[in-house]
Amino acid sequence: MNSKITIAIDGYSSTGKSTIAKELAKRLGYIYVDSGAMYRAVALFAFQQKWIGTDFFQVRSLVENLKHVSITFVYNAELGFAETYLNGINVESDIRSLEISNYVSRVAAIPEVRKLLVSLQKEMGVSKGVVMDGRDIGTVVFPDAELKLFMTASPDTRAKRRFDELRARGEEVTYQAILENVIYRDHLDTTREDSPLTKAIDAVEIDNSQLTREAQAKTIYDLTLQILRKNN
Ligand code: CDP
């Protein structure tokens, strides 16, 4: 089986997209790209420049300065995945804070931001052999992806997962604040005008509220093998 495919994983926040995408990429020897990290890096950039806050957003300043944003991924062998760099600085941890989560969906709704990041994402996928997760991967970035997954889970399950994750990293957060962020981002991501989060008609929907990580990994790996066999 030597012809590589493209795998697009979309879905709501904290549905475990990145966990399954990383596992799958590792098993297949593919490249994993976290498109959300790119939107988070732009949100961090806007935040560092003081262009975004709870009640303000200087969209024009951000758009005019997008040329000064350089996002790269550098593989960390110890962690087993690529970390996100913004203008040469490792921001892997900073982009995951609740504060950046609270700003990112407003930044991701800006058409100029999407245009820039989508073109970078398309470039990363030209040689196939890529697993990319996000919100518009199967609909906009790789509409021809051979395998498209759409992940869902109840808001409670997702907030609980994100709460455990942030607490484990030592961030002082409340469950209620996380739940509000999850619901707020779902709303912005599904209602924005430019490439809203929606299930591609040919995507396989997986609700993992009740699925163990192992059961989910097996279902998705089996689906991938079926497609690889058909393609060869
Ligand atoms: O980790 P989580 O699923 O919560 O979010 P993420 O994948 O890190 O994405 C953060 C935010 O970036 C999302 O809530 C979207 O607003 C935006 N995003 C997007 O608009 N398009 C993508 N392809 C990926 C993320």
Side-chain angles (χ1 to χ4, degrees), residues 10-15 17-18 34-37 39-40 96 101 104-106 108-109 114 121 133-137 141 162 165 181 185-186 188-189 192 195:
D10 289 303
Y12 297 95
S13 80
S14 313
T15 40
K17 299 182 300 293
S18 66
D34 177 352
S35 72
Y39 289 93
R40 286 174 178 274
R96 315 274 168 202
S101 297
V104 63
S105 294
R106 280 153 68 205
R114 304 206 69 80
Q121 290 153 8
D133 75 328
R135 302 293 188 283
D136 59 344
I137 310 306
V141 181
R162 189 50 55 100
E165 205 177 294
N181 174 256
R185 274 199 292 142
D186 285 354
L188 291 187
D189 292 345
R192 70 174 173 230
S195 351

Side-chain angles (χ1 to χ4, degrees):
M1 281 196 278
N2 46 21
S3 76
K4 293 188 168 180
I5 61 167
T6 301
I7 302 176
I9 306 183
D10 289 303
Y12 297 95
S13 80
S14 313
T15 40
K17 299 182 300 293
S18 66
T19 306
I20 190 65
K22 273 182 207 156
E23 277 179 21
L24 203 53
K26 199 167 169 192
R27 256 180 115 163
L28 298 165
Y30 282 16
I31 291 165
Y32 162 60
V33 182
D34 177 352
S35 72
M38 301 169 78
Y39 289 93
R40 286 174 178 274
V42 177
L44 178 65
F45 177 76
F47 174 66
Q48 287 170 341
Q49 305 300 321
K50 304 196 169 36
W51 293 331
I52 195 163
T54 316
D55 50 5
F56 66 93
F57 185 8
Q58 289 172 229
V59 175
R60 263 191 63 163
S61 302
L62 175 61
V63 168
E64 282 168 6
N65 286 283
L66 281 175
K67 51 185 174 297
H68 300 302
V69 175
S70 156
I71 300 165
T72 45
F73 291 107
V74 180
Y75 188 75
N76 179 329
E78 225 168 273
L79 296 173
F81 64 87
E83 294 181 291
T84 315
Y85 282 66
L86 169 64
N87 295 332
I89 294 168
N90 185 332
V91 292
E92 187 57 34
S93 175
D94 293 355
I95 59 171
R96 315 274 168 202
S97 69
L98 182 57
E99 180 148 43
I100 295 304
S101 297
N102 278 328
Y103 300 143
V104 63
S105 294
R106 280 153 68 205
V107 171
I110 308 301
E112 289 86 346
V113 171
R114 304 206 69 80
K115 197 168 166 225
L116 172 70
L117 299 189
V118 167
S119 78
L120 293 173
Q121 290 153 8
K122 281 180 189 274
E123 265 172 45
M124 294 177 192
V126 282
S127 308
K128 296 202 167 266
V130 167
V131 184
M132 194 177 289
D133 75 328
R135 302 293 188 283
D136 59 344
I137 310 306
T139 50
V140 175
V141 181
F142 300 132
D144 299 328
E146 289 83 352
L147 175 60
K148 296 182 187 177
L149 302 170
F150 190 81
M151 317 284 291
T152 64
S154 69
D156 271 340
T157 309
R158 295 188 281 131
K160 170 86 176 55
R161 284 182 191 148
R162 189 50 55 100
F163 176 71
D164 291 344
E165 205 177 294
L166 289 177
R167 276 298 178 101
R169 290 181 4 167
E171 202 170 322
E172 284 292 319
V173 287
T174 62
Y175 171 79
Q176 192 54 32
I178 304 276
L179 181 64
E180 278 166 21
N181 174 256
V182 159
I183 293 169
Y184 170 66
R185 274 199 292 142
D186 285 354
H187 174 69
L188 291 187
D189 292 345
T190 50
T191 57
R192 70 174 173 230
E193 248 171 61
D194 188 345
S195 351
L197 167 64
T198 169
K199 177 181 166 300
I201 39 169
D202 50 349
V204 179
E205 183 163 341
I206 297 184
D207 182 335
N208 62 19
S209 308
Q210 310 290 338
L211 271 184
T212 63
R213 193 169 148 170
E214 292 72 25
Q216 169 176 277
K218 187 178 179 320
T219 308
I220 294 175
Y221 190 63
D222 288 349
L223 266 174
T224 310
L225 288 185
Q226 271 175 30
I227 290 171
L228 280 170
R229 283 197 194 103
K230 239 188 359 211
N231 265 25
N232 281 276

